[in-house]
Amino acid sequence: MASRGRARGRAGRGAPAPGGGSNGGAAAGPVGGGATAAPAPRGRGRGRGAAAVADTPPTEQLAGMNIQAPAGVRERGNRFATPLFRPENVTDTRGSTGQKIDLLTNYFEINVRDNKPLYQYHVDFNPVVKADSVKLRKALVHRIECLRNRHLFDGMILYCPDRLNETEFVVQKKEGDRVTISMKLTQEVTTSSDQFIQLVNIIFNQIADRHMGLDRIRRDYFNPGKAVVISQHKVELWPGYEFSIRKYSHGVLLGLDVKHKIVRTDTVLSAMNQMVSSGRGGQQENIRRELMGAIVITKYNNKTYRIDDVIFNLSPKDVVQLRSGPISYVDYYKNNYNLTIRDLNQPLLLSIVKTKDPGTGERTEKQIHLVPEVCYMTGLTDAMRSNFRVMQDLAQYTKQDPEKKKRTLEEFRQTVESSTEARDLLQSWGLEVSPAILELDGRKLKPEQILMKNGQPFPCDARKESFDNITRKNFVIQSVDINNDYLIICTSRDVTHSNTFKDTCAKVGPACGINIQANGKVVSINSDRANDFIEAIRSNITSNTKIVICLVPNDRKDRYDAIKKHCCIEQPIPSQVLVTKNLQPKKAMSVVTKVVLQMNAKLGGELWSINIPMQGVMFVGIDTYHDSGSNKSVGGFVASMNNACTRYFSKTTWQESKQELISQLQTCTREALQQYRKLNNAFPQRVIIFRDGVGDGQLLAVKEIELESIKKALHELPQMPNLVFTVVTKRIQQRFFQKQGNRLNNPGPGSIVDTKVTSDALFDFYLVPQSVGQGTVTPTHYNVLAFETNLQPDHLQQIAFKLCHVYFNWTGTIRVPAVCQYAHKLAFLVGNHLNKDPSPQLANYLYYL
């Protein structure tokens, strides 16, 4: 069966799980015996599980570091390199607007003694020791007295902190044979080079691994020995750290953040049995659908794997061929981990990992077979995420306020300092970690004002930058006359809920300036099957119907998909799907108010705006959605069509699975420009683009492919508009804490940081757009790839903050500019629910809200 995902393997300590096919064996039943537990979720993220592969050597973090990449291209395997992406016309990237604030950040300075370089040597052996015998090569080099504990060696290239006085050494193998090791100096690694940064990262990985008692899981380090067991929810929280060393404008900095690994106490086998007992997984294909893409962990070696398939014709009784000979899975786990497999008829899990040959560097795929009984689910199910009690209990440990987070960061540094071995290792390489976290200056922009009908301004809540009360008590900018021209479809059991919905609409709509009455058409159907909803929609829509509302008893995906496909493709009309439990008396008023506002927005109405003192500007948001169950990825493109940023044009594109880059941006941009001209009688004077969802390793491709495609469309105009292209990143390590007297608090919405933790190679800044009720606020990173305009950095920083206010699905600020979030919602709807392009008739509506 074709796999739905791929995992990047990472070899580690301990014996690995067996891989390969069997030499025979009985076919397994659907699921063997075992205890029942909560069901396993489908994979949600795009992360890749790490796996150990039989008889493979340890991961070579140093491989390829002596190969210099061309300017502007990151070295393969070096994720710490910072290519030059600052636009050539930009000299000063800092702003000045706003009130100065004093901040701390989750970074420690790394001081390098006398800026002393490191030395790189090429190593040869005589007689020859094969390149793929990495363990032997490392063992022989380790016997050189002057290098012991003072070198890094990947089997070919050696680094050491001092220049060697001798370059030829004679050592003995265990068998007594003598080997001559010759070392040739190939280069000095200066402290300003990317290679130096990567070496420092490897040194700190060694400290975490060997001297702090932490286990590496993918790129982060955790301490299973200090796991917090939350038994009532069947989960464990493993505390840990995420850290990396990079070059910033302030120098070499150690970035550190607190992480928690969520490991469920139910095994994959118990989750499979629960699927069967609940009636959701009786068929093998259903079990596959539930599990494929999920990330599991094997506690015997603390490695994570992504499930690519469930193999029902294999069982633990089957035999696998290892280098050491054939062995059954049962005996393998008993011999290597002292684990007794009790259910001998359970199927096996398949994880496909990519490994790198240490000698040739060639990447190959290997199959890993895992026994569900010894695999544990990670992460949270959808049911857990929607359970307030579960999330509240987890938040007690995972959401640390600035004061507690600062203490936790300092504990990491103190642990390193208290370890003699760690301290000696750093000193031998001339490194020192500063005793306190980094201080820096920030700026806080003024709170924005929300514009309602007739341009009437209302100040936002200065602390939360929210405006829920403003939208509830004031008229929207432009309303759609819905009147009674709406169609409600519901089951016969939910007719009462439909009456509640209509009556509440008639109460809340006029208060917002929206004309919606209580006599919309209601069609009741006999069942909640998707086909019945579709047939009712098809049969009852008239030329006067403006919007369809489907009241459904639960959030079943297949029914939601069918409704949206019909209303977005087959019979284009804005639609709203509402679960009836949200119409209970206690919350009906609040819920329906938001639904009425959303309906108005979907029909082309304008809810609120923000003062943007520029004319003739088109803001563009771009994002990509990857569906783990499809071989295609969807790009969402949304462009503003007026100065108030309240009307939009949208288009989707398709590309190969997991491909982040969008190849059809020239067409998207051309169509958006023509639509802008149609509505405004002129082309835009400025085009300001925010691109979401791009990793650092893809920046060069985005600049050379996506940005150039957009420029081609702009060059087709009579006059080239000013162009700004900015990559927006939400998942970042940086955190900021504001000093207020003797306490640390989260910086407020509108806080800007553009010093010290920015890069000299980039035009970048950080924006805190929101406030949070718990934990530490996460800023958003902006990296400007093109700045062909007379605007100043100050202007772009303020524009980014302003645009976080005009997302019509939330009466407050969001983490990214609204056009980015609209593009995300569009790509998600099309990729996860429609699986086809929506009708062009809907391109000028926010139907994807």
Side-chain angles (χ1 to χ4, degrees), residues 285-583:
E285 284 305 311
N286 289 336
I287 293 178
R288 282 193 174 100
R289 187 169 55 250
E290 290 283 339
L291 291 181
M292 283 170 57
I295 305 297
V296 300
I297 191 168
T298 49
K299 292 185 179 181
Y300 51 80
N301 61 357
N302 288 335
K303 300 300 173 187
T304 56
Y305 302 83
R306 182 187 178 98
I307 300 177
D308 288 304
D309 204 350
V310 183
I311 311 299
F312 288 95
N313 61 353
L314 290 179
S315 74
K317 296 179 293 187
D318 286 319
V319 174
V320 63
Q321 183 69 41
L322 299 181
R323 292 183 184 178
S324 55
I327 188 172
S328 71
Y329 292 93
V330 173
D331 292 339
Y332 175 85
Y333 280 99
K334 186 64 176 179
N335 296 345
N336 286 280
Y337 301 109
N338 196 29
L339 293 174
T340 301
I341 305 299
R342 303 187 183 282
D343 188 337
L344 301 182
N345 294 317
Q346 61 188 297
L348 299 185
L349 307 175
L350 173 66
S351 180
I352 300 176
V353 301
K354 292 181 180 179
T355 60
K356 183 176 179 179
D357 186 284
T360 65
E362 182 181 352
R363 291 188 178 273
T364 58
E365 285 189 348
K366 289 185 179 292
Q367 293 189 354
I368 303 295
H369 289 118
L370 302 166
V371 178
E373 189 178 321
V374 295
C375 296
Y376 291 82
M377 307 300 297
T378 66
L380 300 174
T381 66
D382 290 336
M384 288 177 170
R385 286 189 177 87
S386 60
N387 187 315
F388 174 78
R389 177 59 62 185
V390 172
M391 301 308 293
Q392 185 182 54
D393 291 345
L394 292 176
Q396 296 179 26
Y397 304 97
T398 60
K399 294 187 179 295
Q400 298 184 345
D401 62 31
E403 289 279 357
K404 186 174 182 180
K405 180 156 285 193
K406 176 176 178 285
R407 289 195 298 270
T408 306
L409 300 179
E410 291 172 340
E411 287 172 4
F412 178 92
R413 199 267 176 196
Q414 291 164 3
T415 302
V416 173
E417 185 64 25
S418 62
S419 168
T420 303
E421 295 86 353
R423 194 169 58 249
D424 291 346
L425 179 61
L426 289 174
Q427 289 176 355
S428 69
W429 289 90
L431 303 174
E432 181 185 15
V433 183
S434 63
I437 60 176
L438 185 67
E439 298 185 10
L440 72 166
D441 294 333
R443 293 174 288 112
K444 188 174 186 308
L445 303 176
K446 292 181 179 179
E448 290 291 338
Q449 290 189 323
I450 298 300
L451 304 181
M452 301 301 291
K453 192 174 182 65
N454 299 321
Q456 187 175 4
F458 294 89
C460 289
D461 182 322
R463 186 172 62 88
K464 295 183 178 180
E465 203 72 15
S466 64
F467 42 91
D468 188 54
N469 286 335
I470 297 173
T471 58
R472 287 174 182 272
K473 299 177 181 178
N474 295 277
F475 282 11
V476 298
I477 293 176
Q478 180 178 332
S479 64
V480 176
D481 186 17
I482 302 174
N483 202 353
N484 293 309
D485 299 330
Y486 58 93
L487 172 66
I488 297 177
I489 311 292
C490 64
T491 66
S492 55
R493 296 187 302 271
D494 291 326
V495 171
T496 302
H497 286 120
S498 72
N499 293 329
T500 299
F501 178 78
K502 291 194 302 176
D503 293 341
T504 310
C505 284
K507 292 178 183 177
V508 302
C512 301
I514 300 171
N515 177 30
I516 181 169
Q517 301 301 317
N519 295 316
K521 184 177 181 180
V522 177
V523 175
S524 64
I525 55 180
N526 294 325
S527 78
D528 64 352
R529 291 180 302 178
N531 288 341
D532 289 349
F533 274 92
I534 301 308
E535 185 56 37
I537 295 172
R538 183 181 291 115
S539 303
N540 290 278
I541 285 182
T542 69
S543 58
N544 293 326
T545 307
K546 291 186 170 70
I547 190 168
V548 174
I549 300 103
C550 293
L551 302 183
V552 295
N554 51 51
D555 56 359
R556 250 178 46 203
K557 184 178 184 298
D558 64 325
R559 181 177 52 226
Y560 182 88
D561 290 356
I563 293 171
K564 287 298 180 180
K565 283 179 181 178
H566 183 83
C567 294
C568 293
I569 301 172
E570 298 169 20
Q571 198 172 7
I573 186 171
S575 59
Q576 190 80 34
V577 180
L578 182 63
V579 180
T580 52
K581 69 178 182 181
N582 293 318
L583 294 175

Side-chain angles (χ1 to χ4, degrees), residues 93 753-754 757-760 762-766 781-784:
T93 63
V753 173
D754 54 11
V757 291
T758 54
S759 172
D760 288 335
L762 306 175
F763 173 6
D764 64 330
F765 62 90
Y766 301 89
H781 184 238
Y782 291 80
N783 182 10
V784 185

